[in-house]
Amino acid sequence: TEILEAAVQHKDEIYCEWAPNEKVALEVAAGASLAGARSIVTMKHVGLNVAADPLMTFAYIGTVGGCVICVADDPGMHSSQNEQDTRHYARLAKIPVLEPSDSQEACDFVSLAMELSEKYRTPVILRSTTRVSHSRSIVELKDRGTSNLSIGFEKNPQRFVPIPVWGRRMHTEVEERLLTLAKVAASSAANRMEIRDRTFGIIASGIAYQYVREVFPDASVLKLGWSYPFPDKLFLEFAGQVEKILVVEELDNFVEEHVRSLGIACEGKKYMPVTGELSATVLEKVRNRIEGKEPEAEAAKNFKSQTDDLPARPPILCPGCPHRGIFHSLGKFDVIVTGDIGCYSLGVFSPLERIDTILCMGGGFTVAHGMEKAGEKRKVVGIVGDSTFFHSGITGLLEVAYNRGVSTFIVVDNRTTAMTGHQEHPGTGITLMGEKTSEASIEAIGKACGIKNVATVYPYDLQTTHEIMKTAIASDEAWLIISKAPCPLRERKPVGVKNRLEARLCRDCGLCLKLGCPAIEKDNKGVISINPLLCAGCGLCKSICPANAFFPLEESSNE
């Protein structure tokens, strides 16, 4: 997201937009490319799963204007549901992948990717990882390269329409292009050999190169900036100049496996972890094992996390979060709750504990439908966020209505894409360029999909929310409930009047603690209080207290 948020600062030069999902984004970028424009599309690794459908065929059709797909992998799963390796997609689609190891290369490789894309008529993946994406360093800017192409699509069905009669030829051309690109990669400045100690050589790409230079300063290194298609000539040349080879790469043994296939003896995952993020500390342990200072057993398995020695600080919903009221209400019913990707996934944690499954974007609805159709005896509630609804929830709702589903579905609409930094989406009425536009109605879309029972609730009104939810769950028809209230973190103002707890009235029943609100504190003497610096004034604590012990912060309770 940060790439587009930076690019839109240059709106006089670059047109930018948010897309509902990654598949749509890549298709739009492909259309721009075929019309002769240069385009960049950005996403996380799991987003590339969504965009995989157009990617595979786009590789056949090929580009006109350069098209670069910036994909950020997340080793260590800092904010993702898996830690897959994007390089496999490059091999599957038979397109190049570039891996910057620092900020300068992240800048330079975009230009290189554009040039490769236009010259060889191929989309190009620029693979970043968490550490590269979140690092900063001085960058030397160069003149921006310009394209010689003019805007205007040139009709050529045999090139742009991959029906079988023409698609078979396209596949042959893709294979030929791959062979050509492999030869070009072997001579590219993005790949280089650094010969030092010839007894030990390391092959590394991306951020792993930085750790290698720190932990193995004397080793010879084959640095891969253009890691696929594989530069076989360089692998063979490097192997001829060093005695032993270690392949250092985050996540899968993508390079190691290929180097072995060339008949080159090397080690990699024998010593390296197969999961999690690399670091200099992890690589130091690898070095110790190679040098016999630590046992090799379990080397490829559970490396101790860098955070294992720190106190646990599980993430929680913010003070005043509107999702808290929904989860509190769900806690009153014996239902299964199929969750989704977003802030509301935090509803899985104690004390709310009202998320039972998470699969993927949009899965909150479709997994619920699948459980119901499988004959699950308990009622099932599917939950997605507003941004997720537009991303991939609509098709799930169509599935439900078309196939006569009878579960309850909730959209927690906090009027923004909160989890990734409060971006706009089709339901907010504002574009990435800051222009006012149509505001998609979740209620209207739900009815258009065929859901007859649609209700909107204000989640801070627990009584009304509970009553509507009770009706929906008990119904023998599908219900769509929209919980609508803005994210207070984005609004940057309290939801209402801040509260305080009158200790003399408190019964110590602990019901307020079950809200999981970080503003409600309990000290080591068991005394409950409200932290006025954290309270957002949502009033949920006041509405559930049986002792009526909560009062507005400035109000006296003597009366």
Side-chain angles (χ1 to χ4, degrees):
T1 55
E2 291 92 340
I3 293 174
L4 289 179
E5 289 170 340
V8 77
Q9 302 304 314
H10 305 272
K11 61 178 65 177
D12 292 339
E13 303 172 83
I14 307 172
Y15 171 74
C16 304
E17 66 179 38
W18 296 124
N21 64 35
E22 296 82 2
K23 177 180 184 291
V24 171
L26 182 53
E27 290 163 350
V28 171
S33 169
L34 298 186
R38 286 183 164 180
S39 57
I40 294 177
V41 58
T42 71
M43 61 193 69
K44 282 174 57 172
H45 59 303
V46 286
L48 192 56
N49 296 333
V50 181
D53 189 6
L55 175 64
M56 298 303 151
T57 305
F58 192 21
Y60 273 39
I61 293 172
T63 60
V64 178
C67 184
V68 179
I69 306 165
C70 296
V71 183
D73 281 8
D74 190 15
M77 296 173 62
H78 295 278
S79 60
S80 308
Q81 66 267 40
N82 68 38
E83 50 180 351
Q84 69 195 45
D85 193 324
T86 289
R87 295 176 297 175
H88 293 295
Y89 269 113
R91 179 160 55 184
L92 182 60
K94 304 180 188 296
I95 62 175
V97 61
L98 306 179
E99 296 188 73
S101 62
D102 56 28
S103 303
Q104 182 68 60
E105 287 188 345
C107 178
D108 295 343
F109 284 5
V110 171
S111 296
L112 174 60
M114 280 293 181
E115 292 168 6
L116 292 174
S117 180
E118 288 186 356
K119 184 174 182 179
Y120 297 100
R121 294 184 173 184
T122 178
V124 177
I125 292 177
L126 181 71
R127 182 205 187 210
S128 181
T129 56
T130 305
R131 207 50 48 199
V132 173
S133 296
H134 291 176
S135 65
R136 295 185 179 186
S137 59
I138 299 298
V139 171
E140 179 183 347
L141 297 177
K142 302 174 183 177
D143 291 337
R144 183 184 303 168
T146 56
S147 174
N148 296 323
L149 299 169
S150 58
I151 302 299
F153 177 72
E154 296 183 7
K155 185 179 177 66
N156 186 353
Q158 293 190 32
R159 180 183 169 190
F160 299 124
V161 183
I163 58 176
V165 65
W166 297 323
R168 298 185 189 100
R169 186 203 70 246
M170 292 178 184
H171 187 188
T172 300
E173 292 172 351
V174 167
E175 297 294 347
E176 293 172 350
R177 182 181 70 197
L178 198 63
L179 293 174
T180 300
L181 286 168
K183 294 177 182 178
V184 177
S187 59
S188 172
N191 297 323
R192 66 174 183 266
M193 285 192 293
E194 302 173 354
I195 302 301
R196 300 181 185 87
D197 181 1
R198 294 180 181 270
T199 63
F200 188 56
I202 298 176
I203 300 173
S205 61
I207 193 63
Y209 168 77
Q210 303 291 357
Y211 303 140
V212 165
R213 293 294 292 115
E214 182 174 344
V215 178
F216 297 92
D218 300 324
S220 294
V221 179
L222 171 55
K223 182 194 179 304
L224 300 178
W226 180 351
S227 54
Y228 189 83
F230 298 113
D232 290 353
K233 182 180 177 182
L234 271 181
F235 289 145
L236 294 167
E237 185 179 343
F238 186 66
Q241 298 200 42
V242 296
E243 296 177 14
K244 294 182 179 180
I245 293 178
L246 176 70
V247 181
V248 179
E249 52 190 332
E250 279 188 318
L251 300 181
D252 296 341
N253 58 340
F254 185 77
V255 173
E256 178 191 353
E257 184 180 67
H258 182 75
V259 171
R260 287 181 182 274
S261 75
L262 297 175
I264 299 172
C266 66
E267 297 293 352
K269 294 305 178 183
K270 175 182 177 181
Y271 299 106
M272 304 293 301
V274 295
T275 64
E277 186 178 21
L278 286 182
S279 66
T281 301
V282 169
L283 213 54
E284 285 172 357
K285 294 181 179 293
V286 170
R287 179 167 187 165
N288 288 338
R289 284 169 174 166
I290 291 174
E291 295 175 352
K293 297 177 182 178
E294 290 185 15
E296 292 182 10
E298 303 298 313
K301 297 183 181 178
N302 305 313
F303 272 71
K304 189 174 182 181
S305 167
Q306 298 178 64
T307 60
D308 283 353
D309 294 330
L310 299 177
R313 296 184 64 188
I316 54 176
L317 296 172
C318 300
C321 177
H323 304 336
R324 183 170 283 109
I326 290 296
F327 287 125
H328 181 269
S329 294
L330 282 172
K332 304 293 184 181
F333 303 96
D334 180 21
V335 294
I336 298 170
V337 181
T338 57
D340 217 293
I341 311 300
C343 294
Y344 47 95
S345 62
L346 299 177
V348 70
F349 294 121
S350 177
L352 296 171
E353 297 180 331
R354 289 313 288 138
I355 292 287
D356 297 307
T357 72
I358 289 180
L359 181 63
C360 62
M361 294 282 279
F365 279 5
T366 42
V367 170
H369 180 66
M371 284 188 175
E372 180 245 305
K373 289 300 182 182
E376 171 59 46
K377 295 180 180 179
R378 283 175 292 174
K379 290 296 184 78
V380 187
V381 176
I383 186 168
V384 305
D386 47 339
S387 178
T388 303
F389 178 78
F390 295 114
H391 180 285
S392 48
I394 298 173
T395 49
L397 208 57
L398 279 168
E399 172 84 358
V400 170
Y402 177 62
N403 292 288
R404 304 171 62 84
V406 296
S407 296
T408 298
F409 301 92
I410 301 174
V411 178
V412 282
D413 181 4
N414 60 4
R415 316 301 300 148
T416 187
T417 312
M419 182 179 68
T420 54
H422 299 115
Q423 292 80 22
E424 307 293 344
H425 60 62
T428 66
I430 302 291
T431 70
L432 174 56
M433 303 286 278
E435 301 166 341
K436 290 186 177 180
T437 185
S438 59
E439 183 177 323
S441 166
I442 297 174
E443 292 88 342
I445 291 173
K447 291 179 181 178
C449 287
I451 304 297
K452 299 177 182 178
N453 307 298
V454 179
T456 300
V457 300
Y458 185 60
Y460 302 115
D461 181 354
L462 289 182
Q463 182 176 352
T464 302
T465 298
H466 177 78
E467 290 173 356
I468 291 177
M469 200 173 290
K470 181 179 180 180
T471 300
I473 292 172
S475 174
D476 58 358
E477 294 182 320
W479 273 70
L480 175 63
I481 299 173
I482 298 94
S483 167
K484 185 175 291 187
C487 170
L489 193 62
R490 182 178 187 179
E491 296 293 299
R492 297 184 179 276
K493 62 182 181 181
V495 176
V497 178
K498 294 188 176 188
N499 286 287
R500 63 182 179 83
L501 175 62
E502 185 63 61
R504 63 184 179 82
L505 298 177
C506 179
R507 300 176 186 174
D508 293 326
C509 65
L511 287 178
C512 59
L513 295 174
K514 293 182 179 180
L515 289 169
C517 177
I520 304 175
E521 301 175 346
K522 185 176 183 179
D523 63 20
N524 53 14
K525 295 181 180 179
V527 178
I528 300 173
S529 62
I530 295 183
N531 186 329
L533 298 177
L534 294 179
C535 180
C538 70
L540 292 181
C541 53
K542 184 176 182 179
S543 65
I544 68 169
C545 179
N548 296 317
F550 290 90
F551 296 87
L553 184 60
E554 68 278 1
E555 183 180 305
S556 171
S557 62
N558 291 330
E559 66 272 13

